[in-house]
Amino acid sequence: MLTLKFANYLLLNIQRLLGHKKLFGYPYYLVIDPSSVCQLRCPFCDGKLRPQVKMSLSDFKMVIDAIGKTCINLELYNWGEPFLNREIIDMINYASKKYRVYTRISSNLNLVNKDFYRALVLSRLNALTVSLDGASQETYGKYRANGSFDRVISNVKLLAHYKKYYKKLEPKLIWQFLVFRHNEHEIEKAKKMAKALSFNEIVFMKPHIPREHMDWDSTIRKFSNYSREHIGQYNLLPKTTNSKCTWPYSSVAVNANGSVSPCCAVAREQDDFANMSQDSFPEIWNCDNFIEAREYVFQNEIQEGSSNICARCQMKGTINFAPNLLQLLYYTISPLRSAWMKTKKFKITNY
């Protein structure tokens, strides 16, 4: 199976470089949203635009069985809180055991259930990102509305305890800290907390902030979306990359109701390309919408009037998943990954 995954990876990237529109390979990066339902009310989240549903285990198996043989990385989250789906552990183990995929989840970690977190540590989950935008309830709660900072910290301690008790290196624990103006003063505090709580890594990220909420924008340049030219006047900063998007060539996102998006950032269902409950994946992967999308991203030009979401997208490759050879080995060969993790210490990352 590993040989197939590597061969498929090479084939797709060769076809991408040559500008082919109809592909012979299948996606190696897969996003499946197990739940578009969430108990928090984050003000800038587009998840509320999606139908509020939870994917069944049988539907999940149908999706992963169609794409799993070529999948290298599986992200079991997107618009909602994945741990609200009671079958999430079974999804993780099914995908990992049958298709040897590297599985990642991002969670707000507000669920209270000790038995669940024990089962999670004993599952085949490889990495867990905890969305924790602040180092106190005051800062955390401003964006993660309805969330409890103390509850998240308690659950992190529980996960660290079970990892130590069962002598498990995985899941890798990652603290994701979206940097806003109201929490930027807690960055150093968060670094110290993350290390003390046995996180493997803390990641500081620039969030997307709508223009009407510019007062949320960080004053720290690398985490800012806008430049302030004059008092009361803000301009959107240009993208920092000229890379072409690789999503229509390498990746696909399947939503909780089975609809298929060309990438994880497509908020409106009307911009989706197809639905797994209605068509087979080979038909979907080379349907007219995907072929048009590959044409647009290869040209790397925005066409505002098009009905295809990829033609109107302004992200320009900023959310690509394009692993190099070393990363491919890390994702696919567990003994190598274990050896690497044993040598790595606490990491601080800025995006």
Side-chain angles (χ1 to χ4, degrees):
M1 187 177 294
L2 288 181
T3 302
L4 173 62
K5 290 178 187 287
F6 277 87
N8 178 77
Y9 170 82
L10 292 173
L11 174 61
L12 281 184
N13 280 287
I14 289 171
Q15 290 194 285
R16 175 179 59 83
L17 293 172
L18 293 175
H20 291 177
K21 309 305 179 294
K22 187 173 183 178
L23 304 181
F24 297 105
Y26 272 16
Y28 54 80
Y29 177 45
L30 177 59
V31 175
I32 302 179
D33 193 2
S35 171
S36 55
V37 180
C38 186
Q39 72 275 55
L40 303 192
R41 293 294 179 266
C42 306
F44 310 148
C45 179
D46 288 330
K48 55 184 173 290
L49 300 177
R50 285 278 168 184
Q52 301 295 284
V53 296
K54 299 174 186 177
M55 181 178 284
S56 68
L57 180 60
S58 60
D59 284 346
F60 172 79
K61 288 181 177 180
M62 179 265 293
V63 174
I64 196 67
D65 284 345
I67 317 173
K69 289 182 180 179
T70 60
C71 181
I72 293 170
N73 182 90
L74 169 64
E75 294 197 347
L76 265 174
Y77 67 95
N78 199 10
W79 298 111
E81 170 50 48
F83 292 161
L84 293 182
N85 190 318
R86 295 182 179 181
E87 297 181 297
I88 189 68
I89 299 292
D90 292 330
M91 293 177 179
I92 294 167
N93 291 335
Y94 182 84
S96 179
K97 185 175 181 180
K98 188 169 183 179
Y99 296 108
R100 297 182 65 179
V101 297
Y102 186 85
T103 307
R104 301 194 287 187
I105 284 181
S106 180
S107 169
N108 61 50
L109 217 66
N110 269 261
L111 180 70
V112 179
N113 189 329
K114 289 185 178 181
D115 291 338
F116 172 80
Y117 291 118
R118 175 180 176 274
L120 187 68
V121 168
L122 292 175
S123 76
R124 292 171 173 263
L125 182 65
N126 300 110
L128 173 62
T129 297
V130 180
S131 299
L132 191 58
D133 315 311
S136 65
Q137 178 62 39
E138 181 183 5
T139 55
Y140 165 78
K142 184 167 183 178
Y143 183 69
R144 302 290 168 179
N146 294 349
S148 168
F149 179 81
D150 289 341
R151 187 183 302 138
V152 176
I153 296 301
S154 177
N155 288 333
V156 169
K157 291 178 179 178
L158 196 60
L159 287 166
H161 164 73
Y162 284 133
K163 283 182 64 177
K164 185 177 180 180
Y165 182 82
Y166 292 108
K167 299 179 181 179
K168 295 264 291 182
L169 289 172
E170 296 179 321
K172 179 181 179 181
L173 296 180
I174 304 163
W175 179 340
Q176 177 184 280
F177 188 117
L178 299 182
V179 181
F180 298 103
R181 191 175 304 184
H182 65 265
N183 66 13
E184 61 187 21
H185 66 284
E186 291 187 334
I187 287 178
E188 293 305 317
K189 180 181 177 181
K191 291 177 183 178
K192 295 176 182 178
M193 288 183 64
K195 190 172 184 179
L197 289 167
S198 299
F199 276 99
N200 299 96
E201 182 179 1
I202 185 168
V203 179
F204 297 97
M205 297 184 66
K206 176 172 67 175
H208 166 71
I209 296 177
R211 186 173 288 275
E212 61 269 25
H213 293 285
M214 286 185 293
D215 57 326
W216 286 62
D217 197 50
S218 175
T219 62
I220 301 173
R221 175 64 177 81
K222 61 185 172 184
F223 299 121
S224 175
N225 292 269
Y226 300 90
S227 65
R228 186 168 182 172
E229 305 297 336
H230 304 287
I231 295 176
Q233 180 181 351
Y234 292 81
N235 291 318
L236 185 65
L237 290 168
K239 299 296 181 183
T240 57
T241 176
N242 291 318
S243 301
K244 292 183 179 180
C245 175
T246 63
W247 272 83
Y249 286 93
S250 64
S251 321
V252 71
V254 182
N255 300 292
N257 65 346
S259 66
V260 178
S261 303
C263 88
C264 64
V266 178
R268 303 185 307 170
E269 191 173 27
Q270 67 194 68
D271 291 319
D272 290 343
F273 285 179
N275 195 294
M276 291 285 286
S277 65
Q278 299 170 3
D279 301 292
S280 68
F281 189 73
E283 294 173 322
I284 294 172
W285 187 230
N286 282 305
C287 70
D288 290 342
N289 281 328
F290 265 110
I291 288 175
E292 289 176 8
R294 291 170 193 137
E295 176 70 31
Y296 293 133
V297 301
F298 187 75
Q299 293 175 353
N300 205 25
E301 295 180 357
I302 297 173
Q303 301 183 26
E304 293 289 353
S306 173
S307 61
N308 192 300
I309 185 65
C310 293
R312 310 192 305 271
C313 182
Q314 299 186 23
M315 290 187 175
K316 296 178 68 65
T318 56
I319 58 171
N320 281 343
F321 176 83
N324 57 38
L325 181 58
L326 289 178
Q327 289 171 317
L328 283 177
L329 294 174
Y330 178 86
Y331 288 129
T332 55
I333 303 176
S334 56
L336 178 64
R337 186 166 62 249
S338 296
W340 177 260
M341 289 187 70
K342 288 177 181 177
T343 64
K344 295 297 288 182
K345 297 182 179 180
F346 176 68
K347 183 180 179 182
I348 299 171
T349 305
N350 294 310
Y351 282 128

